[in-house]
Every structure is written in structure tokens, then in C-alpha cells.
Amino acid sequence: MKRGLVEWDRQELPEGAFAARLAACRAGMCEERLDALLVYTDVWRAGHVRFLSHYLPYWSSGLLVLPLEGEPLLLSTQPQRVFPWIAETSLLREVRAAPALGKAAAAVLAERGWRRAGVVELQELPWGIYADLTAEAPGACELVDASALMRGVRLSEDGHEEALLTKAAAMAAAPLAALDPVGQRDWAVIATLERAYRRAGAEDLMLLVTSPTAGQWPGVPREAVLADGVLLQASLEYKGHWLQLSRTWLPAGASPLRGLYDRLGRAYAELSETARPGLSEAEAAGLLKRLAPGDGLHLFAAHASGSAPFTPLPGLDGIEEGMVVALHLGAEDRQGHRALVGDTFLARREGLARVTT
Amino acid sequence: MDSYASTRLTRIRTAMKDQGLGGLLVCANGMRRDHVRYVTNLNVLGSWAIAVLGPERGPALFIEDPWDLDRARRDSWAESVTAGPGLLDGIVRAAGELGLRGPVGVAGMELMEAGLVLALRERLAPLTLQPATRLLVELRLLKDEGELRAIRRASELADAGYEVFLGTARAGLPEYELVAEIEGFLRDAGAEDNMMILASGGVEVTGMRPPTSKRLQVGDLVTAELTPQVNGYYAQICRTLVIGEPSAAQQQSFEIFWQAQEAAMESARPGVTISQVAEAQNEVFRKAGFGEYVSKRYTRARGHGLGLHFDDEPLIWEGNDLRLQAGMVLIAHPNTYLPLAGYMVLGDPLVITDGGCERLTKTERRLFAVAP
């Protein structure tokens, strides 16, 4: 359930931005000979529909139906009482209550007499919707997977996205710079950030924390005093744009973890300078191998250019130009002590441009 | 594994046997993570996870995100935990090792990615898969002592959170800053999560939604649902306050909500149907001349279950013939729009006892007024 500030600021993100995105989709639909595009959304997998319409199903699900011509239609499991809010916070004007999304979509396909419809992430649709849609779609209408079309549109350059990510990065940085978490209770650390980020206008958050000596990567806090240091991962959403960063804090003065942390910092600098779209699997493996000999290194790579906030990438070779990418590098010494660092980048042809600071 | 976990897995296996199932796959995704938590105790953080439960052994747990692996091994009851690529192969292997026989139930099947369902159908053949979400939903209706302890603690946080809400709400404060304060407080007090919606204004307000930048004004009704989560379990409180002195219309309207909630609490006891609890509330509105406002046009439900999901079953609605039993936990909330003063809310978590019900929150049941 989203409970941050969900509003559409038309100065920040003008309607024209969405017109361009819809036009790009429609150009792809023409090429693929599609009469319509169906795009699933829910509170977790909101990315694509948010990108196309600014609509956010804050606790439910929906299917956006984008015809080749005419207004987009939203099929929504939200009650009719919420429709004014949908109109206020998105460009969607035509909304239909649809408790069974698959059946409702099939009915629209029949009603409009479409012959060929693309479904974004067809194989990733929730089974209930997929089963209803494929069973009840009119025989005359061919359903095809349109994931590649959507992916192409999402990965193309969009200045608005970059501006909003930059704003989100500034929002993420300030409270972290002021944080002095070592020796605090984990609950208190998370509470401080939660307050600060929501006051700054964050739409959603996932804040995870642990101690470097706990033998795990950050998770939901469990009431512990973080005396040995702090590993933290912050995921923050601003106007549909997610970013993620990881940081390590060590106690002041001498710490047995200082050496590990410094080696990790050097490895991460090289990683972020070297990683780029088009890296081969062998190059990616070679890079990781030479980064920090002696320590166990763990790479966690994900992208925020899909429908879910962060979709794990199999490795550095999965980075594509235009992606919003989060790279986290964790190091673990022989005692099982850990350090962690991570940032969000925009993947450009020539390399990764850091967004978070 | 503690005794509650062992008892829980035994109950699940008994239900599987009663329904002729030779195995159970339990699915979590970004929307619903509760079934997997019930079966494994893991709070899934990634996009999906699947637990495989055999007739005598298991669960084996498969998670998408390797980030969670160490925590899953520490926190869950699973016999084994696997993360990362190749999960489909792992699930198929686990089905053999855990002795799954057909038909195999799938809890959360309707939410699983279609491609995964199709692949599992093919790879697990000749085992057949069939939906089994109801199996877990029905088992989860009755709470054990461990679950009730968590819900009681979450109820204490709901009370404390609403006290902070009362102390923070004032004219000029944007809605989202009010939420920020409550979220910060609840995290500091140990809540894992919180579900919260609110609204502010007058007769033009027809429901709640996420906060906006609208600033609270003198005379506004401010409605809120706070739903903190402790050890996986949610408790919810619904209250309404006025910035400044309540008007006569606001008081008159609140009186109807108070009576409706009172009627719900009086009616809630073992043997009574969910429908009767809804009717008890709705009759108060009908007698006051506002019968049309208990329809789906104006209100979603007259309450719902509470547990590992913030909007659990049963949905309290006329026509739901499920009978209450001791050990169920629900919130009866007559929340709806009334033309007298706009949308209003009032609700508390209730545990059904042998003789009736116990209200788990202590916050006064009144229309609060805060100084502007």
C-alpha cells in the first residue's frame, strides 16, 4: 500500500511527456500491426502503466488498454469511488470497474472488434488474469507478447525521467548525510529516514538495515543495537521513479572492518567505472574476479526499467543502454563480517552515469 | 521450529489430506506475501517465492532474490532454501524429493506468473496442479496464541500511533507530513510495516486514499485507517477527528457510526454469520434514513479479517454466510459516506471469544476534536 505523497505535478511532468510516450508506443504498435496494447499494473508492478499514464494503483491492480487510435481505457479493480482520484492523478479519463480483469479485457477486445492485440509481459501476467483472458478473448483476435515493444519505449532517452531521478537522488542523499547510525537501535535508524523521506515527498520506501557482524545483508529491522557498524539499503520512489543505494558505517576509530571496507570501496569504484552496456559474460566475470582478491565478493545487480521496482539482473552483462540500474557490491571476510556499497546509475552507451550521491 | 509452527504444518497437512491433495505449492508475489509467510515464517522481500510442501516433509523454499538467502535460512522453517537462477529445476527436484503425489494444490495460483504455472504444469506432469488458495485462507481464519500475541502487540501500536496522530494533526499541516510523522513513530516502536490511508475535508469527501499535499483546515473531518504490522500480523484502527470544534452535523453523523459499530460488537459471537454482523451495522443506517449509503456505491465493506494480510478474509458484507468462531480476528468498521458530513470511519480489531468478542484497541470511540 502506497502511503507517501502521490500527486501529479504537471509542471514537473507535463502531459506532453505522456503524449510522446504514447506516440512511441503507437509507432511500435503500427510496426507490429497491433490494434491495441494491454499493460498490466498493480501496487508492486506499477512501472509500465505509470510511465504511460502516471496512474498508480495504490493497493490494487488494473489493465491499461491502449488502442492504436483513441483514448486509453483503464480496467480497474478499484471501486468507482476512487475514479475521481484516478482522474486527478493521471491522464486517464476512461475508467471501467473490472473485478475480473482478464474477462473484462476479453470483453473489450470483442466489443471493439480488434484482430490483433499485444500484451506486455504476457507470460508474467498473474495466472488468474491470463487464464481468463486467453480463454475468453474472441477467437478472431490474436494475442501476442509485446514485451519487447514496451521495453524499447522504456529504454529510449526521456529527459523527464532523468530529471525526476536526479530529484529523487537529492532527496535520498540529504538525510543519509546527516545520519549517524552507529550505536543506535535499528528501529530508530529506520524511523529517522522514514520520517525524513516521507516529509520530503517520497512516494514509497523500502528501508533495510543490519549490522556488519550479523551474517546477512540488510533486512527488516529486528530491534538490535548497531554497535559494530551499520549496513543499510534504501529504496526510494519519487513520482514513479525508483532508486536504490547501499551504505556502510563503521564505528569511529580503529575497526577490524576498516580494511575490508576500504578494499570494497576500491573494488566498487573500478566496477562502476568499467561496467557498461554490452559487456560480454566473459568480460563481466573477469572484472568481478580481479576486483577484490581474498574477500568473498557478492554482486547484486537489478534494473528499475521494468514493471517491478527492481528486477534482478543475471549479471553485469545484462545491462542495456537506457536502463536505470542499481549495482550493489558486498564483501565478506573470513570471519563472516560484511561491508556493502551500492548506487543507482543510468546506463549510457559509453558507460554508467551515477545518479545517487 | 517452535510448537506453533509444528502445529500449523500439521493442520495444513491434515487439510491437504482431507482435500485429496498430495502436495502443496505456496506462492508469494509483490502483491501478496502472506501465504508463504504462514507456511515458512519468511517475510519475502523480492518479487516472488514458492514453498513446496510434501505430504510428510518440507517445506522447501525457493526465492527469487539471492539478497534474502541468509535471512531466509535463519528465519524460515523451511528444510532447505534456494535462491537465484534455476528455481524451476529446483522446484521440480523438490517435488520428487518431498514425495509429492497428484493432485497438487497451489495456494496463490491466481497470482503466480502465467509462464511459471505453464512451465510447472509441463515439468511436474503427470502430477496435476489445482487452485488451493481457499485451503490456506480457511486455515488462517483461526489464530493460535502466538498469532494473537502479535495482533495484540500490533493493536497496542495502533493505539499509540493514533495518539500521535491526534497530537500531530493541526490546521496548516499537509496530509503527507502527518503520515510521515505516524510512519516514523510506528517504525521507531517496532512496526515492520503499516497500511494507512486517510482523507481530509467536508461533505465533498467520498473516501480515503494516499495522502496529498492538501493542508488541513479548521472544520475538516480527518479520517484515518492505521494498520501496523508486528511479526507479520496486522491490527487496524479507524478513527475520525475534527480540526477545531465539531459541527452539529458532524456530531449527528458520528452518532450513527458509533451506534453501527456498537451493534456490530454486540452481534459478533461464535455461531453468528458474517452477514449478520454486516446487517447489524447496516440496520442502524437504514433506521436513520441512510440505507442507500451502505451499498457498494459508497462503501467497500463493513469490515474484514485481520492477520498476515491487512485486508484478510472474511470480507464483512451482507450475504457472507461464514459463521464466526472463537479465535477469529476481524475489524468491523461501518466506514462510508453520509451526506450529513462526508466520509467517516470508526473501527477496532476484535477477537471472537467463547462468549462474544473482545476489542483489542483501547482508544476512545468518539469523534475527536483537536485544537487548530
Side-chain angles (χ1 to χ4, degrees):
Chain A
M1 163 77 77
K2 307 280 181 179
R3 52 198 180 275
L5 177 59
V6 181
E7 279 187 338
W8 183 8
D9 178 344
R10 287 162 173 82
Q11 301 290 322
E12 195 177 44
L13 194 53
E15 292 208 24
F18 294 101
R21 293 169 183 181
L22 293 177
C25 265
R26 284 177 165 138
M29 289 162 66
C30 273
E31 276 178 30
E32 304 281 333
R33 296 177 294 105
L34 299 176
D35 298 315
L37 193 67
L38 306 184
V39 197
Y40 173 76
T41 184
D42 65 34
V43 66
W44 177 257
R45 290 173 52 188
H48 292 325
V49 170
R50 191 73 189 277
F51 179 82
L52 293 174
S53 70
H54 206 263
Y55 169 61
L56 177 68
Y58 59 85
W59 84 318
S60 57
S61 55
L63 260 180
L64 181 72
V65 183
L66 177 66
L68 195 54
E69 288 173 4
E71 286 296 305
L73 162 69
L74 178 71
L75 305 172
S76 173
T77 59
Q78 290 191 291
Q80 219 152 358
R81 290 180 296 117
V82 183
F83 291 3
W85 180 85
I86 295 174
E88 200 179 300
T89 56
S90 77
L91 55 78
L92 299 171
R93 296 292 169 270
E94 200 184 340
V95 186
R96 208 178 278 185
L101 290 171
K103 289 183 182 184
V108 173
L109 297 177
E111 183 185 300
R112 307 272 175 112
W114 286 326
R115 307 296 298 268
R116 192 170 147 90
V119 185
V120 174
E121 297 170 349
L122 178 64
Q123 293 291 307
E124 283 86 45
L125 278 182
W127 173 252
I129 296 172
Y130 176 93
D132 284 346
L133 177 63
T134 50
E136 300 200 12
C141 184
E142 184 188 3
L143 293 176
V144 297
D145 182 76
S147 306
L149 187 163
M150 188 71 219
R151 197 175 175 87
V153 174
R154 288 292 306 270
L155 296 186
S156 58
E157 191 69 33
D158 187 324
H160 295 290
E161 270 198 292
E162 189 172 345
L164 286 166
L165 275 171
T166 305
K167 201 164 175 181
M171 186 183 281
L176 283 181
L179 199 65
D180 184 14
V182 178
Q184 288 197 43
R185 281 182 316 136
D186 51 4
W187 288 352
V189 171
I190 295 301
T192 300
L193 292 175
E194 187 91 32
R195 263 193 200 96
Y197 286 148
R198 291 191 186 278
R199 273 188 197 144
E203 214 161 56
D204 201 1
L205 296 169
M206 197 191 294
L207 302 170
L208 307 173
V209 69
T210 193
S211 154
T213 54
Q216 63 164 51
W217 303 114
V220 175
R222 304 162 61 90
E223 197 180 15
V225 174
L226 300 164
D228 299 331
V230 180
L231 308 185
L232 181 129
Q233 185 184 74
S235 306
L236 180 150
E237 184 185 28
Y238 178 67
K239 305 289 168 71
H241 295 72
W242 278 96
L243 55 75
Q244 201 170 60
L245 44 80
S246 297
R247 295 289 182 267
T248 299
W249 285 262
L250 297 176
S255 162
L257 290 164
R258 183 71 58 189
L260 180 74
Y261 179 71
D262 291 344
R263 291 195 297 279
L264 176 67
R266 286 192 292 275
Y268 191 73
E270 186 176 348
L271 173 81
S272 51
E273 277 163 25
T274 314
R276 63 181 187 283
L279 209 64
S280 72
E281 197 176 339
E283 285 173 310
L287 172 63
L288 283 179
K289 208 169 175 181
R290 72 167 186 270
L291 282 180
D295 297 317
L297 267 192
H298 303 263
L299 173 71
F300 301 99
H303 77 90
S305 299
S307 53
F310 286 95
T311 306
L313 288 169
L316 293 172
D317 50 311
I319 297 173
E320 293 178 45
E321 187 182 344
M323 270 183 177
V324 176
V325 178
L327 293 181
H328 307 272
L329 199 58
E332 186 173 4
D333 66 15
R334 290 197 178 93
Q335 287 74 46
H337 298 161
R338 298 182 181 195
L340 179 69
V341 62
D343 276 294
T344 300
F345 303 83
L346 269 168
R348 302 196 192 287
R349 186 174 306 163
E350 62 279 10
L352 300 185
R354 192 189 302 259
V355 176
T356 45
T357 53
Chain B
M1 191 187 299
D2 62 23
S3 62
Y4 292 124
S6 174
T7 306
R8 183 178 297 180
L9 291 176
T10 302
R11 285 181 70 215
I12 295 171
R13 288 198 169 97
T14 304
M16 284 161 56
K17 198 173 171 189
D18 291 347
Q19 295 187 19
L21 299 174
L24 190 66
L25 303 184
V26 184
C27 173
N29 74 355
M31 287 267 282
R32 296 291 300 260
R33 301 156 192 272
D34 42 313
H35 292 316
V36 165
R37 190 154 191 179
Y38 187 71
V39 172
T40 69
N41 197 41
L42 179 68
N43 181 10
V44 176
L45 295 178
S47 280
W48 64 268
I50 290 181
V52 184
L53 191 63
E56 281 94 32
R57 286 185 49 206
L61 179 59
F62 297 87
I63 57 177
E64 179 216 27
D65 196 343
W67 180 271
D68 261 352
L69 191 57
D70 301 308
R71 199 173 53 86
R73 286 180 174 148
R74 186 195 63 198
D75 290 354
S76 83
W77 306 317
E79 284 182 12
S80 64
V81 184
T82 312
L87 291 186
L88 181 61
D89 291 338
I91 293 168
V92 172
R93 203 164 40 248
E97 289 168 2
L98 298 177
L100 265 63
R101 303 183 288 267
V104 173
V106 187
M109 184 171 182
E110 62 285 357
L111 295 174
M112 275 172 83
E113 290 184 0
L116 187 57
V117 173
L118 294 171
L120 282 170
R121 273 184 171 175
E122 189 185 324
R123 297 282 306 277
L124 289 176
L127 295 180
T128 54
L129 301 181
Q130 65 181 56
T133 306
R134 293 298 315 170
L135 181 151
L136 283 190
V137 165
E138 283 165 18
L139 288 177
R140 286 174 47 187
L141 290 172
L142 294 180
K143 309 297 191 283
D144 64 32
E145 279 306 312
E147 292 176 293
L148 287 176
R149 214 170 22 247
I151 293 172
R152 285 181 190 280
R153 177 64 190 138
S155 300
E156 288 170 12
L157 288 193
D159 278 329
Y162 197 71
E163 199 177 328
V164 174
F165 194 95
L166 285 170
T168 308
R170 62 181 183 279
L173 187 72
E175 289 176 352
Y176 72 95
E177 288 194 22
L178 175 56
V179 170
E181 195 54 40
I182 306 311
E183 291 290 332
F185 169 79
L186 289 173
R187 285 294 182 286
D188 206 5
E192 281 175 25
D193 192 12
N194 175 45
M195 189 289 287
M196 183 172 177
I197 45 178
L198 84 170
S200 66
V203 287
E204 76 285 0
V205 177
T206 57
M208 294 186 287
R209 31 85 187 132
T212 68
S213 56
K214 178 178 181 291
R215 291 178 186 276
L216 306 184
Q217 295 176 32
V218 174
D220 275 355
L221 276 184
V222 184
T223 53
E225 284 189 2
L226 267 63
T227 323
Q229 184 189 34
V230 172
N231 289 339
Y233 289 84
Y234 290 93
Q236 185 171 86
I237 188 168
C238 307
R239 287 291 186 274
T240 303
L241 65 81
V242 181
I243 306 286
E245 282 304 307
S247 67
Q250 288 167 335
Q251 287 284 18
Q252 186 193 346
S253 187
F254 181 79
E255 184 60 26
I256 297 168
F257 286 83
W258 190 92
Q259 286 177 19
Q261 195 209 17
E262 187 71 10
M265 290 193 291
E266 277 174 16
S267 71
R269 61 183 177 278
V272 163
T273 64
I274 291 294
S275 185
Q276 286 173 293
V277 177
E279 284 161 26
Q281 298 178 65
N282 292 346
E283 275 308 303
V284 173
F285 286 86
R286 289 177 184 128
K287 279 184 185 154
F290 295 107
E292 73 174 287
Y293 297 99
V294 301
S295 69
K296 285 195 173 171
R297 183 173 170 199
Y298 295 100
T299 179
R300 193 182 66 89
R302 320 310 282 148
H304 51 81
L306 289 167
L308 285 169
H309 186 49
F310 55 75
D311 188 36
D312 235 330
E313 295 215 25
L315 205 60
I316 299 181
W317 197 254
E318 289 187 26
N320 185 340
D321 290 330
L322 179 78
R323 289 190 186 279
L324 293 179
Q325 296 176 57
M328 287 181 174
V329 179
L330 48 90
I331 179 165
H333 57 44
N335 307 350
T336 192
Y337 173 80
L338 282 190
L340 287 169
Y343 195 82
M344 208 175 263
V345 302
L346 179 66
D348 295 277
L350 308 172
V351 56
I352 306 301
T353 60
D354 290 336
C357 70
E358 177 193 348
R359 183 162 77 101
L360 298 178
T361 38
K362 310 283 182 235
T363 302
E364 282 183 84
R365 295 171 51 235
R366 65 184 174 93
L367 179 61
F368 288 94
V370 299

